[in-house]
Amino acid sequence: MTAVAKAMTKFRLAVIQLQVSSVKADNLSRARSLVKEAAGQGSKVVLLPECFNSPYGTGFFSQYAERIPGESTQVLSEVAKENKVFLVGGSIPEDDGGKLYNSCPVFGPDGTLILKHRKIHLFDIDVPGKIRFQESETLSPGSSLSVFDTPFCKVGVGICYDMRFAELAQLYSREGCQVLVYPGAFNMTTGPAHWELLQRARALDNQVYVATASPARDESASYVAWGHSTVVNPWGEVISKAGAEEAVIYADIDLQYLADIRQQIPITAQRRSDLYAVTSTQDRSS
């Protein structure tokens, strides 16, 4: 392996656990500052949290919604270009022709919008005595898989509740993704129970790196996020993890290590495609 090829098997990923306020301009300014900080530490891919520009909640989505391109995505484009990073822009409430979506824009190091993932699975849950939340009261679901290329590897994108659906991760893995990113905002009920467990499961099942970005916890918010943004390696180990407060965490992604894991436990070659299959019914966005 040449020195250049060897260098391309490793890169630094940063996850920003942002303290989100009710002031959009402040959220954008803070995101700009923390992306710059992450790039200064050598990060090539930077991940922001779900609803990073607004409070999370059905009562806020229409108030903070904007078109893409729009104010928030213009800032993200500038930040990606200024810092020469792939910027996974968490998610923002998107207004498209009167319909609202929970959308993740991804920008290349030149500031170009290379992808827009609309949350496929809407967060409609009811845990008696603990939490009831219905995203479908205000949001519409996306209908496309979302993969983007970097010089290092392919990356698959989901948003929060998308992570609970193993089929999506399997399809991304089959398309050649080695890293899956999920901006998310699990709450104080589902967070301690399932947040890390789901990430480790998706990483282990598909022998990929999984990174999640949560907003920092705000106990005074109407929806209290769990925090604990995390990166998990293909062996299912947590290699980086935040607490509840605002933070930037880092993980050095080693694609040779990933290849070694896949060679040692070759589940892709051992799948019984004569007995079962997970298939996509639509062309993905790219």
Side-chain angles (χ1 to χ4, degrees):
M1 183 182 293
T2 67
V4 172
K6 190 171 184 178
M8 296 299 280
T9 66
K10 293 185 179 181
F11 68 95
R12 175 161 286 188
L13 179 148
V15 177
I16 295 174
Q17 183 163 288
L18 186 70
Q19 187 72 63
V20 178
S21 77
S22 60
V23 182
K24 184 184 288 188
D26 290 350
N27 297 328
L28 295 174
S29 175
R30 189 67 184 144
R32 182 190 292 271
S33 174
L34 292 175
V35 172
K36 182 177 181 180
E37 178 182 321
Q41 295 298 315
S43 304
K44 301 300 182 185
V45 179
V46 181
L47 175 61
L48 287 167
E50 182 179 26
C51 279
F52 85 93
N53 72 339
S54 73
Y56 181 81
T58 54
F60 298 107
F61 294 144
S62 60
Q63 177 185 350
Y64 285 81
E66 39 182 280
R67 297 187 66 83
I68 296 178
E71 177 189 0
S72 296
T73 50
Q74 178 60 36
V75 170
L76 294 180
S77 172
E78 293 169 1
V79 171
K81 186 174 183 179
E82 288 166 3
N83 296 285
K84 297 180 174 58
V85 296
F86 285 91
L87 181 56
V88 181
S91 79
I92 67 171
E94 178 197 4
D95 182 353
D96 185 3
K99 280 191 171 183
L100 301 181
Y101 300 90
N102 190 343
S103 300
C104 173
V106 180
F107 296 87
D110 62 354
T112 301
L113 177 65
I114 56 177
L115 182 72
K116 180 176 70 177
H117 176 77
R118 288 172 168 170
K119 190 173 188 176
I120 298 170
H121 305 93
L122 296 184
F123 183 54
D124 287 0
I125 69 164
D126 190 352
V127 182
K130 293 186 177 180
I131 184 170
R132 180 183 184 277
F133 199 93
Q134 303 287 312
E135 273 190 328
S136 64
E137 290 175 352
T138 52
L139 299 179
S140 297
S143 57
S144 297
L145 307 187
S146 301
V147 172
F148 68 94
D149 289 298
T150 75
F152 311 100
C153 65
K154 287 186 176 182
V155 180
V157 183
I159 299 175
C160 201
Y161 201 51
D162 286 340
M163 186 165 60
R164 287 189 180 270
F165 297 85
E167 299 90 341
L168 181 63
Q170 290 168 20
L171 289 170
Y172 284 159
S173 178
R174 282 181 46 188
E175 289 205 24
C177 293
Q178 294 172 298
V179 175
L180 305 183
V181 294
Y182 296 95
F186 276 38
N187 55 67
M188 299 299 289
T189 297
T190 60
H194 300 148
W195 177 246
E196 182 180 309
L197 180 63
L198 284 164
Q199 295 171 62
R200 295 182 69 189
R202 297 295 84 84
L204 190 59
D205 284 349
N206 300 287
Q207 297 176 322
V208 295
Y209 284 91
V210 171
T212 56
S214 169
R217 190 178 306 168
D218 179 359
E219 299 283 0
S220 67
S222 57
Y223 181 97
V224 181
W226 171 238
H228 296 288
S229 300
T230 305
V231 184
V232 181
N233 72 14
W235 193 253
E237 298 170 322
V238 173
I239 57 174
S240 189
K241 186 176 184 179
E245 68 287 342
E246 183 173 90
V248 182
I249 63 170
Y250 300 92
D252 292 319
I253 305 301
D254 187 342
L255 301 175
Q256 184 57 54
Y257 172 75
L258 181 148
D260 292 343
I261 294 297
R262 291 182 174 184
Q263 183 177 34
Q264 293 161 12
I265 306 178
I267 58 174
T268 299
Q270 294 169 337
R271 284 200 175 95
R272 289 294 302 275
S273 56
D274 57 321
L275 296 178
Y276 54 81
V278 175
T279 58
S280 173
T281 60
Q282 292 188 349
D283 291 335
R284 66 169 173 82
S285 62
S286 60

